[in-house]
């Protein structure tokens, strides 16, 4: 196991630290947390979500980019998450970037060990990022999507197990079933 820094750090310090400490981590209130290993089903659904987002962006002709896990989203000076997928719009980022400062859509694929954090801390944290319009919690065990959408100063929540997921902005429509397709 890798040693974690003994002092609290800022996101900038964390990003510098993570460059020399390979693995999957998140920074929460200045403390580094190692992410647990994932089940095969979790990995397959992450791949399906990324593929569906990428195909949807291309089909709609949007100037947006789907990114699989591995990119950092800064919530505040001492908290940074690594969603399972995200979408940002506009020009392509520098290929050397490790952070996406203005995602429009963030996705967490829930697991038994992350379900509570995804629906509490991350829900409030992600919506502190002004650019985020949609937070999707994808539950592979229940084959369900919990869609949280910024609607002015409120957050609207919809549960979907079938039909079409509408993500506007940026103008994506995805069949819910596509989020669970085998890659």
């Amino acid at each position: 196991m890798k040693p974690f820094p003994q002092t609290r750090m800022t996101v900038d310090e964390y990003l510098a630290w993570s460059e020399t400490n390979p693995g999957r981590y998140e920074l929460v209130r200045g403390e580094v947390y190692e992410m647990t290993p994932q089940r095969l089903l979790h990995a397959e659904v992450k791949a399906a979500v990324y593929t569906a987002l990428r195909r949807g962006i291309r089909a709609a002709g949007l100037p947006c980019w789907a990114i699989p896990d591995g990119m950092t989203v800064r919530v505040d000076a001492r908290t940074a998450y690594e969603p399972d997928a995200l979408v940002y719009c506009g020009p392509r980022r520098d290929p050397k970037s490790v952070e996406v400062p203005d995602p429009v859509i963030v996705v967490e694929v829930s697991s038994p060990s992350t379900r509570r954090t995804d629906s509490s801390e991350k829900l409030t944290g992600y919506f502190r990022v002004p650019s985020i319009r949609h937070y999707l919690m994808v539950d592979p065990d229940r084959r369900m999507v919990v869609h949280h959408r910024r609607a002015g100063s409120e957050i609207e929540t919809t549960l979907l197990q079938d039909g079409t997921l509408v993500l506007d902005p940026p103008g994506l429509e995805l069949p819910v079933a596509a989020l669970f397709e085998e890659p």
Side-chain angles (χ1 to χ4, degrees):
M1 179 172 275
K2 298 170 190 62
F4 293 114
Q6 298 300 309
T7 59
R8 292 184 183 271
M9 60 175 81
T10 66
V11 172
D12 290 331
E13 292 165 336
Y14 162 74
L15 291 173
W17 174 87
S18 67
E19 290 281 330
T20 59
N21 290 277
R24 297 188 64 230
Y25 306 97
E26 290 186 320
L27 184 70
V28 180
R29 293 181 298 280
E31 293 184 46
V32 175
Y33 290 89
E34 187 169 24
M35 298 169 103
T36 60
Q38 58 192 3
R39 299 176 300 155
L40 177 61
L41 178 61
H42 187 96
E44 289 174 341
V45 170
K46 280 185 356 181
V49 166
Y50 165 71
T51 300
L53 289 168
R54 190 167 185 224
R55 285 180 181 157
I57 288 167
R58 286 183 175 174
L62 298 171
C64 300
W65 306 87
I67 306 294
D69 70 339
M71 298 303 295
T72 299
V73 174
R74 183 184 305 240
V75 171
D76 60 34
R78 294 197 177 274
T79 301
Y81 298 136
E82 185 180 302
D84 289 319
L86 64 80
V87 171
Y88 72 90
C89 298
R92 184 168 184 251
R93 299 267 171 233
D94 180 338
K96 296 176 187 167
S97 297
V98 296
E99 179 180 2
V100 174
D102 55 355
V104 177
I105 301 166
V106 291
V107 182
E108 293 288 352
V109 176
S110 296
S111 66
S113 65
T114 65
R115 197 168 281 125
R116 177 175 283 169
T117 302
D118 292 347
S119 63
S120 58
E121 269 187 60
K122 287 190 176 182
L123 172 62
T124 57
Y126 279 133
F127 280 110
R128 290 173 54 202
V129 178
S131 64
I132 294 177
R133 300 297 301 254
H134 306 277
Y135 171 38
L136 307 177
M137 294 171 25
V138 180
D139 186 331
D141 297 318
R142 296 180 181 110
R143 294 183 63 88
M144 178 173 63
V145 177
V146 180
H147 175 200
H148 300 285
R149 180 178 78 83
R150 188 185 306 267
S153 62
E154 296 182 0
I155 304 301
E156 295 176 349
T157 301
T158 306
L159 307 176
L160 298 133
Q161 288 187 300
D162 55 25
T164 302
L165 176 62
V166 178
L167 302 167
D168 192 26
L172 281 175
E173 291 189 13
L174 307 173
V176 172
L179 302 176
F180 299 99
E181 287 179 357
E182 291 185 20

